[in-house]
Amino acid sequence: MKSAPECPRCGRHSIVQESETRWTCLNCNFSKNLSHHSSRQDSRHEKFSDSEDENNGWFSIFILAGMLLIVMVEVVYSQDLEEQSREPLPSAIALQHFH
């Protein structure tokens, strides 16, 4: 009798095949759709490795956060420039007092 594959989330050997492409852990309810993976049945470790999917998710979050930060800095910087252009320069104020 073969033992069940190890769950990537909880580490227990309680993965069961629900359908031809869906595998689920009975312990922690981790579920993975493997329809995009190859149909090889021998490489169970490769099928349950979803760290690549998680890394892509984190990468996207960091990219979006960086873009948001850049936009926020640009907005604040442009507001500072607008305020500075409205205020008269100190040298212009001094010249007005001499006339």
Side-chain angles (χ1 to χ4, degrees):
M1 180 177 166
K2 289 183 178 180
S3 66
E6 182 178 330
C7 176
R9 184 183 292 161
C10 69
R12 294 196 179 182
H13 293 273
S14 55
I15 297 286
V16 294
Q17 187 174 8
E18 287 186 350
S19 68
E20 189 173 316
T21 59
R22 175 145 315 267
W23 294 73
T24 302
C25 176
L26 297 175
N27 183 53
C28 68
N29 291 325
F30 171 81
S31 186
K32 183 81 174 178
N33 184 355
L34 304 175
S35 61
H36 63 278
H37 288 278
S38 65
S39 62
R40 296 183 319 180
Q41 296 295 321
D42 296 334
S43 62
R44 289 182 178 164
H45 177 72
E46 194 175 301
K47 288 182 179 181
F48 292 106
S49 176
D50 65 337
S51 62
E52 187 176 305
D53 294 338
E54 290 175 7
N55 289 339
N56 287 339
W58 282 108
F59 181 73
S60 298
I61 289 171
F62 284 123
I63 293 295
L64 289 173
M67 290 173 54
L68 179 62
L69 182 64
I70 289 170
V71 168
M72 290 173 56
V73 167
E74 288 295 321
V75 167
V76 169
Y77 182 71
S78 67
Q79 287 176 350
D80 286 343
L81 286 179
E82 286 177 15
E83 289 176 11
Q84 288 176 2
S85 67
R86 288 186 202 146
E87 297 174 4
L89 296 174
S91 59
I93 295 171
L95 289 176
Q96 289 174 355
H97 290 289
F98 289 115
H99 284 289

